[in-house]
Amino acid sequence: MAGKIDAKLKELGIELQEPAAPVANYVGYVITGNLVFVSGQVTLDGGQLKYQGKVGADISLEDAQKAARLCAVNIVAQLKAACGGDLDRVKRIVRLGGFVNSTPDYTQQPEVVNGASDLMVEVFGEAGKHCRAAVSAGALPRNVAVEVDCIAEIAN
């Protein structure tokens, strides 16, 4: 039987993919104590990178928010792997770090990263409310528009 969070994902029409394998000398997540640190997730969907380019030049605010949401979906996939498949073990999303590949004069990074923040609250409810950073980056890997990392608390 699916758990509460899996049921919520289904209700939202979100199908989690297999978490992306790291492309360098790091891992997708690390568990220490009851915290899971999820490596930065990019805009990978079905094995393809989406939303590539600079926000404020090539990518609109609306598409950048969709990019951040996709990053958050990929974080949830990593959390599911970290929890042995049981997302009901996630007690709290503690922190998100959002990086926006934007033009030097772009100032709507918080609105972009709302795409990720909103997804976490939609999926985890009150436990999805978190602290965060939303910062500009001069460039991101493979020219993706957004990258988001996460710290979550889980039940043992």
Side-chain angles (χ1 to χ4, degrees), residues 1-11 86-88 123:
M1 180 175 173
K4 289 184 343 186
I5 301 302
D6 285 327
K8 180 54 113 172
L9 289 168
K10 186 174 182 174
E11 175 187 318
D86 183 5
L87 282 167
D88 289 349
V123 171

Side-chain angles (χ1 to χ4, degrees), residues 71-86:
C71 294
V73 168
N74 291 332
I75 286 170
V76 175
Q78 290 284 356
L79 287 172
K80 186 167 186 163
C83 291
D86 183 5

Side-chain angles (χ1 to χ4, degrees), residues 49-89:
L49 289 173
K50 308 287 185 185
Y51 305 107
Q52 291 176 283
K54 290 242 183 242
V55 180
D58 312 310
I59 306 284
S60 68
L61 171 60
E62 294 75 20
D63 281 344
Q65 290 169 326
K66 292 175 188 172
R69 183 179 179 89
L70 177 55
C71 294
V73 168
N74 291 332
I75 286 170
V76 175
Q78 290 284 356
L79 287 172
K80 186 167 186 163
C83 291
D86 183 5
L87 282 167
D88 289 349
R89 287 182 57 201

Side-chain angles (χ1 to χ4, degrees):
M1 180 175 173
K4 289 184 343 186
I5 301 302
D6 285 327
K8 180 54 113 172
L9 289 168
K10 186 174 182 174
E11 175 187 318
L12 293 170
I14 297 171
E15 188 173 325
L16 298 179
Q17 299 175 23
E18 192 68 28
V23 296
N25 191 17
Y26 66 93
V27 294
Y29 61 85
V30 169
I31 300 172
T32 183
N34 63 343
L35 295 177
V36 179
F37 292 76
V38 179
S39 294
Q41 299 298 299
V42 296
T43 56
L44 196 61
D45 185 17
Q48 300 293 317
L49 289 173
K50 308 287 185 185
Y51 305 107
Q52 291 176 283
K54 290 242 183 242
V55 180
D58 312 310
I59 306 284
S60 68
L61 171 60
E62 294 75 20
D63 281 344
Q65 290 169 326
K66 292 175 188 172
R69 183 179 179 89
L70 177 55
C71 294
V73 168
N74 291 332
I75 286 170
V76 175
Q78 290 284 356
L79 287 172
K80 186 167 186 163
C83 291
D86 183 5
L87 282 167
D88 289 349
R89 287 182 57 201
V90 175
K91 292 176 67 174
R92 176 123 198 155
I93 303 300
V94 176
R95 181 184 187 280
L96 294 182
F99 305 90
V100 182
N101 180 7
S102 58
T103 60
D105 61 340
Y106 193 78
T107 60
Q108 291 184 286
Q109 293 82 0
E111 290 88 341
V112 169
V113 181
N114 281 347
S117 292
D118 292 348
L119 183 274
M120 291 304 180
V121 174
E122 288 174 33
V123 171
F124 296 104
E126 281 295 310
K129 292 187 177 179
H130 52 275
C131 64
R132 75 168 197 203
V135 299
S136 183
L140 287 174
R142 310 295 185 260
N143 200 33
V144 295
V146 181
E147 180 173 357
V148 182
D149 66 11
C150 176
I151 301 170
E153 179 185 9
I154 61 171
N156 293 328

